[in-house]
Amino acid sequence: MGGVSPAKGRTGGNLAPLRLHVPEPKYRPGDRVDYSGLVIPPAGAQPRPDETCPAGDTYPLCTDLVRVLGDDDLAAGPWDPRLDAGALRRMLRVMALTRAFDDRMYRAQRQGKTSFYMKSTGEEAVAVGAAFALADDDMVFPSYRQQGLLIARGYPLVEMVNQIYSNRADRLKGRQLPVMYSARDYGFFTISGNLTTQYPQAVGWAMASAIKGDTRIAAAFIGEGSTAEGDFHSGLTFAAVYNAPVVLNVVNNQWAISSFSGIAGAERTTFAARAIGYGIAGLRIDGNDPLAVFAAMRWAADRARANMGPTLIEHFTYRAEGHSTSDDPAAYRSAHEREEWPLGDPIMRLKRHLVAIGEWSEEQHATMDREVAGEVRAASKEAEKSGVLGHGMHHPFKTMFEDVFEELPWHLREQAEQAIHERQTRFPKWKE
Amino acid sequence: MTIEEDPVSLADAPTRRLNMIEAINDALDIMLERDPNMVIIGEDVGYFGGVFRATAGLQKRHGRTRVFDTPISECGIIGVAVGMAAYGLRPVPEIQFADYIYPGLDQLVSEAARLRYRSAGEFTAPITVRSPFGGGIFGGQTHSQSPEALFTHVAGLKTVIPATPHDAKGLLIAAIEDNDPVIFFEPKRIYNGPFDGYYDQPARSWPSHPGSVVPEGYYAIPLGKARVVREGSALTVLAYGTMIHVAEAVLAGKGVDAEIIDLRTLVPIDIDTVEKSVEKTGRCLVIHEATRTSGFGAELAALVQERCFYHLEAPIERVTGFDTPYPHSLEWAYFPGPIRIGEAVDRLLGA
């Protein structure tokens, strides 16, 4: 053993022994949950400052919760974006499509068609509401749980399935873990997997847009657990210093794999309150309310486009399912959390709102659910024609060595020859 | 000393005698002028012009949104450079000392280096990270390191190190024009003069050295091409940066007819030039200032052994810094100087 012996510290006297605090969530598997202590202010009660306000005017909202859809299923207050029923129905449909897609791809993973999948169940309002509020050519820098952005922007589902199956039609040539999409033409930055790296990147993209006198802005998304990364603070510092036209989103879904939000600092203050220290605008919003998400994103996007700089938005939501197909949340949290989450389910809330204002019915909803399931099924079948993971219908072997550099250097050429030689040794009849 | 003329093709261009800082400044100035998408960011690079003055005058000439100071955050500097590159700019971030690059490592290793691959070419990172490296200036352990091997280990990064003002300008221009991320390490011990390793002798300045003859205007030296500094038959020296000048002095002092190869680019390395030379001389000395274990010299020795084994007449010799942090007061004890190199040469020739 090296180092200072722990027993040799100063003892006795009048000093109380120091204690280390290790945060622990309120509920573990089997526990009954009680959310009565969670402060959920009434919908419509939060003031909406002008988009061009001083950042400080938003600070009360960093510890509040911007809500539009109330318990009566009606939209209320100054944040109501007053979208027409057609827009609301489109938003509902994209959220339902996203959930149907997640459900089918989850099953596909269980059936062995791919290695891995990540659902966004319960968080559809964040990505879909954001996509509706942004311009289509604004660049988004997502994490792995904003598939709703791509779906809302009309990216072909079959391309997503091709990527998930890493098949020979996969535009990313089977190189990326499933769901780590890249779609430049849809303003969707290549997803990393190393957490929060996209924060300073989004800020840099936004700075470049400002350097060039462009009008496009950037938006980045991370989870609450990722706010602990240095990149988060680098990103916020640069965004603040250069007044970058960027919307920095923190999707607080309460859980970072098995670590509750307290492990990222939530016992002390909100994640939106991080904005205060940087002197930029901040909003904390009901992330299960698509109207609140839309309103906040539009507010922040308009602010950025008006050269008023960045906004940090905390989307308060709940990760209804496991982190990924490799995770079992029953091992660390109470199943009752999801059932009793006081902000409900985003799809159900928008559905009930449309019904409440006489613009939707159970029959229409059931029809829509059938239709989106059909769309997903058709895309999935179409993708399977190009193969599923591990069935040999992958991209040509030599593509493994391409795109490391723009041009193939000698050492990669030699290594590619070796790889092909190994293939031919293993499968003598193999030809590319 | 021979200055290679071929990619330059500026035989008639007027020349100036510049030190390495002036040559780098000239390259940056020319590229800012040629490419409206190029930007320079980094700590103190703006109004002040950098702690080594490499960006002096550039903000004034090219504007505050093209050459500007950043917060002290290497993670942020590289991270925003990746985002700028994704937008379509061509960022040239400066990391004030190579010793400070580590907070930016994830953005280099996991992001810049992989962007092209993971997006199948949708996004690229044409970024050149400039950073002074190496010791011999009493910089202590935090202003002296040579971390080049870390970057050569990363798929998707190129690593370039110049040894003369002429090369610094041409290689930097090529690095900036390259569409892949390039780590451009500048040997700061030779910013102001070619250091030959005899630290107790008076310092030399660049104008007396043929490598300080720098053509005016634009020229690029292709990456991946080594320079034969001196042709010879007794042994092959593989080195780069400051150690080129040390090797030249030591071998001249010993009267050994060595072939000295300045690699200039570590990845992709110019293996043809290396093989041709070792096949001719049959003896190989690898030199770098960086620490020894898993240093780039290990890669060089392995390559030569794999590809030239039957031409070798002696075991490959490897001269490096020691596996310690760079000590402040004992930096010359660390530095792979004339004694360490000279004894290795004796072993090679005696074998």
Side-chain angles (χ1 to χ4, degrees), chain A residues 5-290:
Chain A
S5 166
K8 295 283 200 260
R10 199 164 47 151
T11 54
N14 296 324
L15 299 175
L18 297 169
R19 289 188 307 271
L20 182 70
H21 172 65
V22 179
E24 181 63 19
K26 278 192 174 157
Y27 314 111
R28 288 298 192 184
D31 290 347
R32 298 303 310 176
V33 305
D34 175 8
Y35 282 125
S36 58
L38 190 66
V39 179
I40 307 288
Q46 299 74 39
R48 182 186 182 283
D50 188 77
E51 291 88 345
T52 58
C53 72
D57 291 2
T58 64
Y59 294 160
L61 293 169
C62 290
T63 49
D64 201 332
L65 194 70
V66 172
R67 302 184 65 207
V68 174
L69 284 179
D71 299 336
D72 56 2
D73 298 324
L74 296 177
W79 286 94
D80 177 4
R82 299 176 190 281
L83 296 171
D84 63 44
L88 294 177
R89 281 189 293 261
R90 285 196 298 280
M91 205 184 276
L92 179 68
R93 188 181 182 93
V94 175
M95 291 203 300
L97 182 57
T98 302
R99 183 165 298 181
F101 184 82
D102 280 349
D103 286 342
R104 187 164 186 107
M105 289 300 101
Y106 181 89
R107 288 201 304 278
Q109 190 275 342
R110 290 298 188 241
Q111 291 163 355
K113 293 175 183 172
T114 189
S115 56
F116 179 79
Y117 191 71
M118 304 180 90
K119 302 176 84 171
S120 61
T121 308
E123 301 174 37
E124 293 91 346
V126 174
V128 175
F132 273 72
L134 292 167
D136 279 348
D137 55 357
D138 289 333
M139 181 64 92
V140 296
F141 290 76
S143 81
Y144 41 66
R145 221 182 293 281
Q146 281 80 46
Q147 48 267 58
L149 287 166
L150 262 186
I151 294 174
R153 285 184 167 177
Y155 190 70
L157 295 181
V158 64
E159 298 284 9
M160 295 173 75
V161 185
N162 286 336
Q163 196 281 329
I164 291 161
Y165 289 170
S166 279
N167 65 21
R168 68 180 172 196
D170 173 13
R171 289 156 51 96
L172 304 185
K173 304 187 178 178
R175 292 170 181 162
Q176 273 280 49
L177 194 67
V179 313
M180 306 289 174
Y181 312 105
S182 176
R184 187 189 172 97
D185 292 345
Y186 290 77
F188 190 97
F189 188 70
T190 158
I191 297 174
S192 181
N194 284 32
L195 300 181
T196 330
T197 50
Q198 70 271 32
Y199 245 49
Q201 292 164 358
V203 173
W205 195 97
M207 289 168 66
S209 190
I211 288 170
K212 286 296 186 183
D214 198 340
T215 59
R216 293 174 295 162
I217 64 166
F221 297 80
I222 59 168
E224 87 286 349
S226 299
T227 61
E229 290 280 11
D231 297 67
F232 175 77
H233 302 279
S234 300
L236 262 73
T237 300
F238 278 67
V241 166
Y242 302 106
N243 202 43
V246 63
V247 185
L248 297 165
N249 298 277
V250 174
V251 184
N252 177 5
N253 67 9
Q254 315 301 322
W255 290 93
I257 305 186
S258 74
S259 301
F260 84 118
S261 59
I263 294 292
E267 289 180 336
R268 303 266 176 186
T269 185
T270 69
F271 294 100
R274 301 280 188 261
I276 300 170
Y278 291 98
I280 67 172
L283 301 171
R284 183 168 177 267
I285 68 169
D286 176 355
N288 285 14
D289 175 351

Side-chain angles (χ1 to χ4, degrees), chain A residues 11-12 24 98 142 145 150 153 174 178 188 194 263 277 280 314 321 323 335 345 348 367 372 384 415 422 427:
Chain A
T11 54
E24 181 63 19
T98 302
R145 221 182 293 281
L150 262 186
R153 285 184 167 177
F188 190 97
N194 284 32
I263 294 292
I280 67 172
E314 175 184 349
E321 306 244 2
H323 169 71
D345 176 83
M348 288 303 111
T367 304
V372 296
E384 283 183 29
Q415 290 167 28
E422 289 174 11
F427 305 105

Side-chain angles (χ1 to χ4, degrees), chain A residues 311-329:
Chain A
T311 302
L312 180 69
I313 301 178
E314 175 184 349
H315 302 255
F316 195 72
T317 180
Y318 188 79
R319 195 192 77 206
E321 306 244 2
H323 169 71
S324 72
T325 48
S326 306
D327 180 37
D328 174 16

Side-chain angles (χ1 to χ4, degrees), chain A residues 171 175-176 182-184 190 192 194 197 200-201 204 208 212 214 231 234 242 400 402-403 405-406 410 414, chain B residues 36-37 69-70 73 79-80 83-84 87 89 106-107 110-111 116-118 120 122-123 156 179-180 269 307:
Chain A
R171 289 156 51 96
R175 292 170 181 162
Q176 273 280 49
S182 176
R184 187 189 172 97
T190 158
S192 181
N194 284 32
T197 50
Q201 292 164 358
K212 286 296 186 183
D214 198 340
D231 297 67
S234 300
Y242 302 106
M400 172 176 157
E402 295 170 353
D403 295 329
F405 297 102
E406 185 175 35
W410 69 267
E414 286 190 356
Chain B
N37 289 324
D69 293 336
T70 60
S73 167
V80 301
M84 288 173 167
Y87 180 91
L89 299 190
D106 189 38
Q107 287 285 351
S110 312
E111 300 297 314
R116 179 190 296 280
Y117 193 78
R118 81 176 195 221
E122 281 193 336
F123 296 95
N179 290 326
D180 289 310
I269 190 176
R307 307 174 85 90

